[in-house]
């Protein structure tokens, strides 16, 4: 059974950092495009970042560019999202998923959301 499990969320003050993990079971993450998404209360799903399988190149939403970094650890079959300089508007439930391509991962996420894992809650507050 193919499964992605998110972890690493928590409560941090503004300006703080967190590292989210996306662990795969049942398949090798190296072979897949992996993306992070988030959903804040009362808001639509937002595509945050994406990493390609072929060359590990990355995409970022403008709202997180320069603050978040997506990376892959093949040995641990894990994709990370390092989040620095966190802001209250980053508060959301964060999900990872495997879209077919980073080129349209945001649109893909909006149409496929609902059959994913539980996500991990990130709360940025003083």
């Amino acid at each position: 059974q193919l499964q992605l499990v998110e972890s690493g969320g928590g409560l941090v003050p503004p300006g703080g950092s967190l590292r989210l993990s996306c662990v795969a079971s049942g398949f090798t993450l190296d072979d897949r495009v992996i993306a992070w998404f988030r959903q804040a209360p009362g808001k639509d799903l937002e595509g945050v970042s994406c990493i390609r399988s072929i060359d590990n190149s990355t995409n970022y939403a403008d709202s997180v560019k320069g603050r978040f970094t997506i990376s892959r650890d093949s040995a641990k079959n894990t994709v990370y999202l390092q989040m620095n300089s966190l802001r209250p508007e980053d508060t959301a439930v964060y999900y990872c998923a495997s879209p077919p391509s980073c080129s349209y991962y945001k649109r893909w996420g909006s149409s496929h959301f609902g059959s994913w894992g539980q996500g991990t809650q990130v709360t940025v507050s003083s």
Side-chain angles (χ1 to χ4, degrees):
Q1 182 178 358
L2 308 183
Q3 191 175 14
L4 291 170
V5 178
E6 307 91 346
S7 64
L11 172 64
V12 293
S17 298
L18 281 174
R19 188 177 76 163
L20 305 184
S21 298
C22 173
V23 181
S25 61
F27 66 99
T28 301
L29 274 182
D30 276 359
D31 299 335
R32 299 292 187 102
V33 173
I34 300 296
W36 283 97
F37 301 85
R38 67 186 181 186
Q39 187 173 40
K43 295 189 176 181
D44 292 335
L45 188 74
E46 178 186 12
V48 174
S49 184
C50 189
I51 185 166
R52 294 174 178 81
S53 56
I54 191 169
D55 59 1
N56 283 332
S57 59
T58 57
N59 287 12
Y60 295 95
D62 288 344
S63 58
V64 306
K65 205 170 289 184
R67 300 187 298 123
F68 290 12
T69 303
I70 190 171
S71 62
R72 191 191 299 268
D73 186 332
S74 301
K76 296 183 178 180
N77 210 27
T78 300
V79 168
Y80 299 104
L81 185 68
Q82 177 68 43
M83 306 187 298
N84 299 328
S85 303
L86 283 162
R87 304 168 179 168
E89 54 265 38
D90 295 318
T91 295
V93 179
Y94 285 69
Y95 303 88
C96 62
S98 183
S101 170
C102 283
S103 299
Y104 54 88
Y105 76 100
K106 296 178 182 179
R107 294 198 308 272
W108 178 90
S110 297
S111 62
H112 288 76
F113 183 54
S115 58
W116 301 353
Q118 295 297 310
T120 186
Q121 174 71 49
V122 172
T123 303
V124 184
S125 175
S126 55

